[in-house]
Amino acid sequence: MDCIFCKIANGEIPCKKVYEDENVIAFHDLDPQAPTHVLIIPKTHIGSAMEINEENSGVIGHIYEVAAKISGDLGLENGFRIVNNCGEDGGQTVHHIHFHLLGGRSMKWPPG
Ligand code: AMP
Ligand code: ZN
C-alpha cells in the first residue's frame, strides 16, 4: 500500500523520531503548527478514526499513554492539545490515523 505513514513506521521514509516502541512511533511534524508539534501513529495501518473497532482500539489507548509519557520530555508540563482529524470534513490529509500532539503555546477554542 502506498501510505506515507506506513513507510515512516517501517523506516522506508526518514523522520525526526521522538519515541518508538513495538506498536507506535512518534515524530516531529514537517510543518509545525505550534512550537512543539509531534505526530503519534500506530505502526499498523488504520485509515482514520472511522476504522477504530474492537480489534484495533487497544493501540489508541496506548497512543494516549505515549502522549502522557513523552509530554514531559517535550517540556509540555503546562498542558497540550491532542488533535485527530478524521475524514474530509475533519481536515484529514494523510489517511493513516495519527494524533497531533501540540504544545508550547496557548491554544485557541473553538478550532476553525
Ligand atoms: P492531517 O491534516 O491531520 O491529516 O495531518 C497530516 C500531517 O502530516 C500534517 O500536519 C503534515 O504536515 C504532516 N506530514 C505529512 N508528511 C509528513 C512527513 N513525511 N513527516 C512528518 N510529517 C508529515
Ligand atoms: Zn498506513
Side-chain angles (χ1 to χ4, degrees):
M1 198 194 312
D2 200 26
C3 170
I4 189 169
F5 284 180
C6 281
K7 287 181 179 168
I8 286 177
N10 70 25
E12 263 182 78
I13 290 180
C15 69
K16 280 173 67 185
K17 187 164 59 180
V18 171
Y19 174 89
E20 180 172 15
D21 64 28
E22 201 186 330
N23 298 310
V24 313
I25 182 165
F27 51 94
H28 290 283
D29 197 291
L30 272 186
D31 181 22
Q33 303 301 314
T36 298
H37 186 171
V38 165
L39 301 174
I40 312 174
I41 70 169
K43 288 186 171 176
T44 53
H45 185 90
I46 300 172
S48 80
M50 278 187 255
E51 293 180 16
I52 298 171
N53 58 40
E54 269 180 15
E55 273 79 53
N56 63 22
S57 62
V59 72
I60 305 301
H62 183 56
I63 282 171
Y64 274 79
E65 276 179 48
V66 167
K69 192 177 339 203
I70 67 178
S71 64
D73 304 330
L74 293 166
L76 303 180
E77 291 85 357
N78 213 36
F80 51 80
R81 180 169 291 176
I82 296 175
V83 173
N84 168 241
N85 297 324
C86 176
E88 196 179 339
D89 281 359
Q92 183 178 4
T93 60
V94 176
H95 298 282
H96 177 130
I97 198 169
H98 51 279
F99 293 78
H100 299 257
L101 175 62
L102 298 146
R105 66 168 168 81
S106 176
M107 300 292 157
K108 293 184 175 43
W109 189 263

